[in-house]
Short mmCIF file of all heavy atoms in Angstrom, two decimals:
data_model
loop_
_atom_site.label_atom_id
_atom_site.label_comp_id
_atom_site.label_asym_id
_atom_site.label_seq_id
_atom_site.Cartn_x
_atom_site.Cartn_y
_atom_site.Cartn_z
N LEU A 20 -148.56 -9.39 82.34
CA LEU A 20 -149.95 -9.12 82.70
C LEU A 20 -149.97 -8.14 83.88
O LEU A 20 -149.60 -8.49 85.00
CB LEU A 20 -150.67 -10.43 83.07
CG LEU A 20 -152.12 -10.32 83.55
CD1 LEU A 20 -152.99 -9.57 82.55
CD2 LEU A 20 -152.69 -11.71 83.82
N PHE A 21 -150.39 -6.92 83.60
CA PHE A 21 -150.51 -5.88 84.62
C PHE A 21 -151.94 -5.87 85.15
O PHE A 21 -152.86 -6.38 84.50
CB PHE A 21 -150.15 -4.51 84.03
CG PHE A 21 -148.72 -4.41 83.60
CD1 PHE A 21 -148.30 -4.92 82.37
CD2 PHE A 21 -147.79 -3.77 84.40
CE1 PHE A 21 -146.98 -4.82 81.97
CE2 PHE A 21 -146.45 -3.67 84.00
CZ PHE A 21 -146.05 -4.19 82.78
N TRP A 22 -152.15 -5.26 86.32
CA TRP A 22 -153.49 -5.30 86.91
C TRP A 22 -153.67 -4.19 87.93
O TRP A 22 -152.71 -3.60 88.41
CB TRP A 22 -153.72 -6.66 87.58
CG TRP A 22 -152.71 -7.01 88.64
CD1 TRP A 22 -151.53 -7.67 88.45
CD2 TRP A 22 -152.77 -6.69 90.03
NE1 TRP A 22 -150.85 -7.78 89.64
CE2 TRP A 22 -151.59 -7.19 90.63
CE3 TRP A 22 -153.71 -6.03 90.83
CZ2 TRP A 22 -151.33 -7.06 91.98
CZ3 TRP A 22 -153.44 -5.88 92.20
CH2 TRP A 22 -152.26 -6.41 92.75
N GLU A 23 -154.94 -3.97 88.24
CA GLU A 23 -155.34 -3.11 89.37
C GLU A 23 -156.62 -3.67 89.97
O GLU A 23 -157.57 -3.98 89.27
CB GLU A 23 -155.58 -1.67 88.92
CG GLU A 23 -154.32 -0.82 88.76
CD GLU A 23 -153.72 -0.39 90.10
OE1 GLU A 23 -154.21 -0.84 91.15
OE2 GLU A 23 -152.76 0.40 90.08
N ASN A 24 -156.62 -3.84 91.29
CA ASN A 24 -157.81 -4.23 92.07
C ASN A 24 -158.39 -5.59 91.71
O ASN A 24 -159.60 -5.81 91.86
CB ASN A 24 -158.91 -3.15 91.93
CG ASN A 24 -158.49 -1.83 92.52
OD1 ASN A 24 -157.95 -1.78 93.63
ND2 ASN A 24 -158.71 -0.75 91.79
N ASN A 25 -157.57 -6.51 91.25
CA ASN A 25 -158.05 -7.89 91.03
C ASN A 25 -156.89 -8.88 91.12
O ASN A 25 -156.77 -9.78 90.29
CB ASN A 25 -158.78 -8.01 89.69
CG ASN A 25 -158.03 -7.36 88.55
OD1 ASN A 25 -156.82 -7.17 88.63
ND2 ASN A 25 -158.74 -7.01 87.49
N GLN A 26 -156.07 -8.74 92.15
CA GLN A 26 -154.84 -9.51 92.29
C GLN A 26 -155.08 -11.02 92.22
O GLN A 26 -154.34 -11.74 91.52
CB GLN A 26 -154.16 -9.17 93.62
CG GLN A 26 -152.89 -9.96 93.88
CD GLN A 26 -152.23 -9.59 95.19
OE1 GLN A 26 -152.76 -8.79 95.96
NE2 GLN A 26 -151.07 -10.14 95.46
N PHE A 27 -156.08 -11.51 92.92
CA PHE A 27 -156.23 -12.96 93.01
C PHE A 27 -156.83 -13.54 91.74
O PHE A 27 -156.54 -14.69 91.38
CB PHE A 27 -157.05 -13.32 94.24
CG PHE A 27 -156.35 -12.94 95.53
CD1 PHE A 27 -156.80 -11.88 96.30
CD2 PHE A 27 -155.20 -13.61 95.92
CE1 PHE A 27 -156.13 -11.51 97.46
CE2 PHE A 27 -154.52 -13.24 97.07
CZ PHE A 27 -154.98 -12.19 97.85
N LEU A 28 -157.63 -12.78 91.02
CA LEU A 28 -158.11 -13.23 89.71
C LEU A 28 -156.94 -13.32 88.73
O LEU A 28 -156.84 -14.29 87.96
CB LEU A 28 -159.18 -12.27 89.19
CG LEU A 28 -159.76 -12.59 87.81
CD1 LEU A 28 -160.42 -13.97 87.79
CD2 LEU A 28 -160.78 -11.51 87.40
N VAL A 29 -156.06 -12.34 88.77
CA VAL A 29 -154.86 -12.37 87.93
C VAL A 29 -154.00 -13.58 88.26
O VAL A 29 -153.53 -14.29 87.36
CB VAL A 29 -154.05 -11.06 88.11
CG1 VAL A 29 -152.64 -11.21 87.56
CG2 VAL A 29 -154.77 -9.91 87.43
N THR A 30 -153.79 -13.84 89.55
CA THR A 30 -152.98 -14.98 89.96
C THR A 30 -153.58 -16.29 89.47
O THR A 30 -152.86 -17.16 88.96
CB THR A 30 -152.84 -15.00 91.50
OG1 THR A 30 -152.20 -13.79 91.93
CG2 THR A 30 -152.03 -16.19 91.96
N SER A 31 -154.88 -16.43 89.60
CA SER A 31 -155.55 -17.66 89.15
C SER A 31 -155.44 -17.83 87.65
O SER A 31 -155.15 -18.93 87.16
CB SER A 31 -157.03 -17.64 89.57
OG SER A 31 -157.16 -17.64 90.96
N TYR A 32 -155.65 -16.74 86.91
CA TYR A 32 -155.64 -16.86 85.46
C TYR A 32 -154.22 -17.12 84.93
O TYR A 32 -154.03 -17.88 83.98
CB TYR A 32 -156.22 -15.59 84.82
CG TYR A 32 -156.37 -15.73 83.32
CD1 TYR A 32 -157.26 -16.66 82.78
CD2 TYR A 32 -155.61 -14.96 82.45
CE1 TYR A 32 -157.38 -16.81 81.40
CE2 TYR A 32 -155.74 -15.10 81.08
CZ TYR A 32 -156.62 -16.03 80.56
OH TYR A 32 -156.73 -16.18 79.20
N ALA A 33 -153.23 -16.49 85.55
CA ALA A 33 -151.84 -16.70 85.11
C ALA A 33 -151.41 -18.15 85.30
O ALA A 33 -150.59 -18.66 84.53
CB ALA A 33 -150.92 -15.76 85.87
N GLU A 34 -151.93 -18.80 86.32
CA GLU A 34 -151.67 -20.20 86.64
C GLU A 34 -150.17 -20.52 86.70
O GLU A 34 -149.64 -21.35 85.97
CB GLU A 34 -152.36 -21.13 85.64
CG GLU A 34 -152.53 -22.54 86.16
CD GLU A 34 -153.29 -23.46 85.23
OE1 GLU A 34 -153.69 -23.04 84.13
OE2 GLU A 34 -153.50 -24.61 85.63
N ASN A 35 -149.53 -19.81 87.62
CA ASN A 35 -148.13 -20.09 87.95
C ASN A 35 -147.23 -20.03 86.72
O ASN A 35 -146.39 -20.92 86.51
CB ASN A 35 -148.01 -21.45 88.65
CG ASN A 35 -146.72 -21.58 89.44
OD1 ASN A 35 -146.20 -20.59 89.95
ND2 ASN A 35 -146.20 -22.79 89.53
N THR A 36 -147.41 -19.02 85.91
CA THR A 36 -146.65 -18.69 84.69
C THR A 36 -147.06 -19.53 83.48
O THR A 36 -146.52 -19.33 82.39
CB THR A 36 -145.11 -18.83 84.87
OG1 THR A 36 -144.73 -20.20 84.89
CG2 THR A 36 -144.64 -18.13 86.14
N ARG A 37 -148.02 -20.44 83.62
CA ARG A 37 -148.38 -21.26 82.47
C ARG A 37 -149.03 -20.43 81.37
O ARG A 37 -148.76 -20.64 80.18
CB ARG A 37 -149.32 -22.39 82.88
CG ARG A 37 -149.53 -23.45 81.79
CD ARG A 37 -150.39 -24.59 82.27
NE ARG A 37 -151.79 -24.24 82.32
CZ ARG A 37 -152.61 -24.27 81.26
NH1 ARG A 37 -152.14 -24.59 80.07
NH2 ARG A 37 -153.88 -23.95 81.38
N ARG A 38 -149.91 -19.48 81.76
CA ARG A 38 -150.55 -18.63 80.76
C ARG A 38 -149.84 -17.27 80.64
O ARG A 38 -149.57 -16.81 79.54
CB ARG A 38 -152.03 -18.40 81.13
CG ARG A 38 -152.91 -19.63 81.06
CD ARG A 38 -154.38 -19.24 81.15
NE ARG A 38 -155.25 -20.40 81.21
CZ ARG A 38 -155.72 -20.92 82.34
NH1 ARG A 38 -155.42 -20.35 83.50
NH2 ARG A 38 -156.50 -21.98 82.32
N PHE A 39 -149.61 -16.66 81.78
CA PHE A 39 -148.98 -15.34 81.81
C PHE A 39 -148.00 -15.27 82.98
O PHE A 39 -147.99 -16.15 83.85
CB PHE A 39 -150.03 -14.23 81.93
CG PHE A 39 -150.84 -14.04 80.69
CD1 PHE A 39 -152.07 -14.67 80.53
CD2 PHE A 39 -150.38 -13.21 79.66
CE1 PHE A 39 -152.82 -14.50 79.38
CE2 PHE A 39 -151.12 -13.04 78.51
CZ PHE A 39 -152.35 -13.69 78.37
N MET A 40 -147.21 -14.20 82.98
CA MET A 40 -146.23 -14.01 84.05
C MET A 40 -146.42 -12.61 84.64
O MET A 40 -145.69 -11.67 84.31
CB MET A 40 -144.80 -14.18 83.53
CG MET A 40 -143.75 -14.17 84.64
SD MET A 40 -142.06 -14.43 84.01
CE MET A 40 -142.10 -16.20 83.71
N PRO A 41 -147.41 -12.44 85.52
CA PRO A 41 -147.57 -11.15 86.20
C PRO A 41 -146.42 -10.91 87.17
O PRO A 41 -145.58 -11.80 87.39
CB PRO A 41 -148.91 -11.31 86.93
CG PRO A 41 -149.05 -12.78 87.14
CD PRO A 41 -148.40 -13.43 85.96
N LEU A 42 -146.40 -9.74 87.77
CA LEU A 42 -145.29 -9.36 88.63
C LEU A 42 -145.04 -10.36 89.75
O LEU A 42 -143.89 -10.68 90.05
CB LEU A 42 -145.54 -7.95 89.21
CG LEU A 42 -144.53 -7.42 90.22
CD1 LEU A 42 -143.12 -7.46 89.67
CD2 LEU A 42 -144.91 -5.99 90.62
N ARG A 43 -146.09 -10.89 90.36
CA ARG A 43 -145.86 -11.81 91.48
C ARG A 43 -145.30 -13.15 91.01
O ARG A 43 -144.89 -13.99 91.82
CB ARG A 43 -147.15 -12.01 92.29
CG ARG A 43 -148.33 -12.65 91.58
CD ARG A 43 -148.37 -14.17 91.63
NE ARG A 43 -148.42 -14.69 92.96
CZ ARG A 43 -148.20 -15.97 93.26
NH1 ARG A 43 -147.89 -16.84 92.31
NH2 ARG A 43 -148.28 -16.40 94.51
N ASP A 44 -145.24 -13.37 89.69
CA ASP A 44 -144.72 -14.63 89.17
C ASP A 44 -143.34 -14.52 88.56
O ASP A 44 -142.84 -15.49 87.97
CB ASP A 44 -145.70 -15.22 88.14
CG ASP A 44 -146.88 -15.91 88.80
OD1 ASP A 44 -146.77 -16.25 89.99
OD2 ASP A 44 -147.91 -16.10 88.14
#
């Protein structure tokens, strides 16, 4: 899951790798 200008929404939606694994995860 890539993103721009919505880091915390991405983090919430990914839910600690349960749904997705963005870069911070």
Side-chain angles (χ1 to χ4, degrees):
L20 177 55
F21 295 81
W22 57 271
E23 279 285 7
N24 295 314
N25 46 23
Q26 178 179 5
F27 296 108
L28 179 59
V29 164
T30 299
S31 296
Y32 186 65
E34 200 176 2
N35 200 31
T36 75
R37 191 176 76 82
R38 294 192 185 96
F39 289 94
M40 187 178 283
L42 176 54
R43 63 88 60 194
D44 281 341

